[in-house]
Amino acid sequence: MSSYFDLLSGISLVLFPLSLLVVYFNLDFHFSKTFVLTAVISFKILLFYKCIRNFFNHFHGILHLILYFCTLEIIPLLFLWKGLIYINNILILKF
């Protein structure tokens, strides 16, 4: 949790001056988009590296990594998808 907080505070320190430059000096959209995407992609790569370091210290590390991605990222998306389909079916009037 502390490494996630460290990475999140690091990316916020990187993106804060960029947002100030974009707002006050009206920088080009393509420059700011490239910079933001580079910062976010590097943040995601560092988080993935931290997951690998945490879960691959032992022989059963690959199982923990799969369980982590299934429970924290894939399953909530599936629940959201099924919930939206269910709500959509309720709200659509069938003639």
Side-chain angles (χ1 to χ4, degrees):
M1 191 67 172
S2 65
S3 62
Y4 179 74
F5 177 72
D6 292 341
L7 285 173
L8 191 63
S9 61
I11 197 168
S12 64
L13 285 175
V14 168
L15 292 178
F16 181 68
L18 175 69
S19 63
L20 289 177
L21 287 173
V22 168
V23 169
Y24 289 118
F25 294 117
N26 199 13
L27 286 182
D28 186 29
F29 174 72
H30 297 291
F31 171 73
S32 60
K33 180 180 75 169
T34 305
F35 193 74
V36 167
L37 284 176
T38 304
V40 169
I41 288 171
S42 64
F43 173 71
K44 292 293 185 180
I45 288 172
L46 287 173
L47 276 179
F48 187 69
Y49 170 71
K50 187 64 179 172
C51 287
I52 288 175
R53 283 206 47 204
N54 284 339
F55 294 125
F56 282 113
N57 287 334
H58 306 291
F59 177 72
H60 57 279
I62 186 83
L63 177 66
H64 288 181
L65 187 65
I66 291 170
L67 289 175
Y68 169 77
F69 282 124
C70 284
T71 58
L72 292 181
E73 295 182 9
I74 297 171
I75 299 299
L77 288 176
L78 290 175
F79 284 150
L80 179 67
W81 177 48
K82 287 295 186 181
L84 288 175
I85 289 174
Y86 180 70
I87 291 172
N88 191 24
N89 287 336
I90 290 173
L91 294 177
I92 291 178
L93 295 175
K94 296 180 181 178
F95 293 103

